[in-house]
Amino acid sequence: MNETTGSSGVTIRNAAEVDVPLILQFIRELAEYERMSEYVTATEPDLRAALFGPRPYAEAMIAFAGDEPAGYALYFHDYSTFRGRPGMYLEDLYVRAEHRHRGVGKALMARLARICVERECHRLQWAVLNWNELALRFYRSLGAAPTTEWTIYSVEREALARLSASPRSDGT
C-alpha cells in the first residue's frame, strides 16, 4: 500500500524484497546514531528471510521525501493474553537526519497506527533509549507516555545458550 501524507510530500510504501539492502543500510545508520554499531550482525539474507521468507517475522515500511529514501519503520505483532488481542511492537523507527522535523516520523507513526486500527490491535508500543531526548520529545508530542509498571528483561548470547542447555522437565 502506498500512501502520501498531506502537504509534507512524504510517501510511504510497504517494503518489498528489493528493499532489503536499503533496510540494512537504515539499520546500520540507526545503530550508529544509537552508538550501538558494534551490535549489528544482521545480513541481507537474515533480513530477507525474516521479512519475506516462508514465515515472515516482521514487516517494514519505507518513507520517501520525493524520490529519496528518508526513513523506515520495522514492526511485528505481539499478543496480550489479558486482552485476548494482538498488539503491535515497533522495533525500529528511523528518519535520516536531513529529513527530521519535516513530518517523516509522524507520517510513519500515523501509518503504523492505521495498520493497528485496521488489524484491531489493542496497543502500539516500543522502547526508547533513556538518553534520546529528541525521540522522547517526539513520542510525547504524539500522545505517547512511558510505561513505568514494567521493566524489560532480555536473555541474550551466552545466557541464552546456558538457559537453553538447562535440564528439561521431560527428563531429556
Side-chain angles (χ1 to χ4, degrees):
M1 166 186 251
N2 290 338
E3 181 173 309
T4 302
T5 59
S7 60
S8 66
V10 176
T11 302
I12 298 173
R13 68 168 171 76
N14 293 336
E17 193 167 348
V18 298
D19 296 315
V20 166
L22 175 61
I23 293 168
L24 184 56
Q25 182 60 39
F26 280 141
I27 290 168
R28 289 179 176 142
E29 290 172 21
L30 174 61
E32 183 176 329
Y33 174 77
E34 292 182 340
R35 305 172 201 150
M36 302 177 89
S37 293
E38 68 273 14
Y39 296 108
V40 177
T41 61
T43 64
E44 288 184 22
D46 292 335
L47 292 175
R48 193 167 285 106
L51 297 172
F52 304 104
R55 182 177 178 186
Y57 291 100
E59 300 173 67
M61 62 178 82
I62 299 175
F64 293 85
D67 293 333
E68 190 175 337
Y72 87 115
L74 191 139
Y75 54 96
F76 53 88
H77 283 283
D78 58 13
Y79 185 77
S80 170
T81 56
F82 287 10
R83 301 272 176 98
R85 295 181 51 190
M88 189 74 70
Y89 189 84
L90 175 61
E91 179 66 24
D92 288 349
L93 176 70
Y94 175 71
V95 177
R96 287 180 163 156
E98 63 270 22
H99 297 289
R100 293 182 190 145
H101 308 290
R102 296 182 181 177
V104 176
K106 186 171 184 180
L108 284 163
M109 290 297 288
R111 175 65 189 125
L112 190 53
R114 284 190 285 282
I115 292 170
C116 288
V117 170
E118 290 166 6
R119 296 181 186 180
E120 299 182 3
C121 296
H122 74 97
R123 70 175 170 222
L124 170 60
Q125 65 184 72
W126 59 91
V128 183
L129 290 166
N130 292 333
W131 61 260
N132 193 344
E133 188 57 40
L134 181 65
L136 293 168
R137 281 195 310 266
F138 169 68
Y139 293 132
R140 283 193 297 267
S141 78
L142 299 177
T147 302
T148 58
E149 299 85 21
W150 298 90
T151 300
I152 298 171
Y153 279 82
S154 179
V155 178
E156 299 181 30
R157 298 187 178 120
E158 295 82 22
L160 186 60
R162 281 192 310 276
L163 181 58
S164 72
S166 295
R168 297 181 183 179
S169 61
D170 64 4
T172 60

